[in-house]
Amino acid sequence: MLRAARSLLPLALLPALLAACGTEEVVVGDREPVAPLPDRAELYARAEALGLAPGLIHVTESPGFTLARQSVGVYGDDGFSAAYRSHENSAQLLLLVDRGTMTAADCPEEPVGRGTGEVVHCERDGETWYRTSAGRHEYAVPEDGHLLRISAAETAVDRGALRAAALHAHRPTDAELAFLLPPRHRDIPPLRGVPVERGDLPPAGDGAPREPVGASG
C-alpha cells in the first residue's frame, strides 16, 4: 500500500478513540484498521471467496498513487489484479500477478498489461524485464512460481517510477490484506443489525405477500 498517502492520527488520540468506540473498528486515515484485525486464516478465506490465490496477492508503493480498492479482482484463473491511481491526474499503474515465469523466448509473446495483438519489445534489466508495446510500458518481475507485472502509459509514468513500483511490490501484511479484501457475504451484518422488514408479509401463514382484493397484474 502507499505509505505516502496515509494520514496518521496523533498517537495521543488513539487511546481516547479506542475507548470511545468500544468494540467498533478504528481506522487510521483511509488505509489500515488498528483493531480488530481478522486472523490470517480468515483473510485467506476472504481471498479464496473472491477466487484469488492468497499467495499471489501483492501490493506496491509509488509516490502520488493510491490503490483503487474497487479495482481489486481476479486475473487469469486465480491471479491478482489491482490498479493504482494518481492523486493529481488520470495516470494509472496496473498491477498483475499470475502463475508462471518469463524468459527471453516468451517475453515477446506476453502482452503488456491487458493488451492483445501488439508487437512487444523486451529488454533485460537486471533480474527484471522492461517491456514496451503500443504506447505502454511494463516491468515484469519473475519470482518463485509466479510473475509480477506493473504497467502504465509511457506518457503518464516514467520508466524510473515504473521500475521502483515493480521493485517495491510485496506480499501484503495482515493489515494491508484486510484493507484490500471485502468481508465475505456471511460476515456482512444486516443494516444496523436489524433485518429488513417487509410490510406486505402477514404475521402468520406461509409468508406469501398479501394482495388487496381485486388486485391484478
Side-chain angles (χ1 to χ4, degrees):
M1 305 302 297
L2 303 179
R3 294 186 178 87
R6 186 192 306 177
S7 60
L8 295 177
L9 290 173
L11 293 178
L13 295 179
L14 287 177
L17 286 173
L18 288 167
C21 293
T23 59
E24 294 182 5
E25 182 179 283
V26 178
V27 176
V28 176
D30 61 355
R31 186 181 170 229
E32 297 179 1
V34 174
L37 270 179
D39 60 26
R40 180 57 65 117
E42 169 58 25
L43 292 171
Y44 278 13
R46 290 187 186 182
E48 290 164 352
L50 295 176
L52 296 165
L56 297 181
I57 299 174
H58 283 65
V59 294
T60 191
E61 301 172 10
S62 187
F65 285 83
T66 302
L67 173 74
R69 292 180 69 188
Q70 69 274 16
S71 71
V72 171
V74 178
Y75 177 69
D77 291 332
D78 58 358
F80 178 72
S81 171
Y84 290 77
R85 295 202 175 104
S86 168
H87 303 309
E88 299 181 357
N89 53 46
S90 58
Q92 178 177 289
L93 294 168
L94 176 63
L95 169 64
L96 301 173
V97 188
D98 204 1
R99 301 181 190 277
T101 188
M102 182 166 284
T103 65
D106 59 29
C107 180
E109 306 301 322
E110 184 74 24
V112 169
R114 295 185 182 276
T116 57
E118 301 90 351
V119 175
V120 176
H121 300 280
C122 298
E123 175 187 331
R124 191 70 174 174
D125 187 348
E127 297 300 314
T128 71
W129 290 96
Y130 176 64
R131 313 169 68 237
T132 59
S133 177
R136 292 188 65 82
H137 59 164
E138 176 180 270
Y139 265 92
V141 185
E143 297 187 355
D144 185 19
H146 66 269
L147 181 68
L148 180 145
R149 297 186 289 134
I150 293 185
S151 62
E154 291 184 86
T155 56
V157 180
D158 66 41
R159 178 172 174 173
L162 192 65
R163 186 177 190 274
L167 296 180
H168 277 102
H170 58 276
R171 288 190 173 93
T173 64
D174 286 358
E176 289 171 330
L177 198 53
F179 176 80
L180 274 174
L181 302 172
R184 287 184 289 171
H185 181 71
R186 68 169 179 81
D187 298 329
I188 301 175
L191 183 64
R192 297 183 180 178
V194 179
V196 176
E197 292 188 5
R198 287 279 305 276
D200 60 343
L201 296 181
D206 62 3
R210 292 192 298 263
E211 294 185 359
V213 175
S216 62

